[in-house]
Amino acid sequence: MKYRKKPVVIEAFKYDGDLSNNEGDFYVPLWAEKAYEEGILIFRGTDLFVKTLEGEMLVSLDDYIIKGVQGELYPCKPDIFGAIYEIVE
């Protein structure tokens, strides 16, 4: 059988190596700031990890961090993100 993915609107941001600017102000969505404060997004040295339903995953530079339909967070490679998602106006 074949299946089609249901159209779902998600929130995401592209990871550029940090979550805040030099003054310490966050420039990511509020949900990502909250996830960092709650220990869901974790820096170990310069590496960022996200606690997912499957365990901790490394977030690479230029990966997208997606907030799923149930509030779960997970990283997604840019090429896969571009193939699956498009910007909603």
Side-chain angles (χ1 to χ4, degrees), residues 31 35 40-41 50-53 65-68 71-75:
W31 55 263
I40 297 168
L41 292 174
V50 59
K51 289 184 180 178
T52 71
L53 299 174
I65 298 177
I66 297 173
K67 179 181 176 189
E72 74 280 11
L73 301 184
Y74 54 93

Side-chain angles (χ1 to χ4, degrees), residues 42-49:
I42 309 157
F43 278 102
R44 290 201 182 97
T46 58
D47 292 331
L48 179 65
F49 291 84

Side-chain angles (χ1 to χ4, degrees), residues 10-16 18-19 28-29 31-32 35 40-41 48-50 57-60 62-68 72-77 81:
I10 53 97
E11 293 182 60
F13 71 95
K14 191 172 190 174
Y15 177 61
D16 66 1
D18 209 339
L19 305 177
V28 294
W31 55 263
I40 297 168
L41 292 174
L48 179 65
F49 291 84
V50 59
M57 297 181 74
L58 176 66
V59 181
S60 298
D62 292 331
D63 281 357
Y64 285 84
I65 298 177
I66 297 173
K67 179 181 176 189
E72 74 280 11
L73 301 184
Y74 54 93
C76 183
K77 296 295 178 199
F81 188 88

Side-chain angles (χ1 to χ4, degrees), residues 9-38:
V9 176
I10 53 97
E11 293 182 60
F13 71 95
K14 191 172 190 174
Y15 177 61
D16 66 1
D18 209 339
L19 305 177
S20 59
N21 61 23
N22 291 338
E23 289 78 41
D25 298 322
F26 286 97
Y27 56 78
V28 294
L30 288 175
W31 55 263
E33 179 181 345
K34 182 178 177 188
Y36 174 75
E37 292 168 350
E38 293 176 350

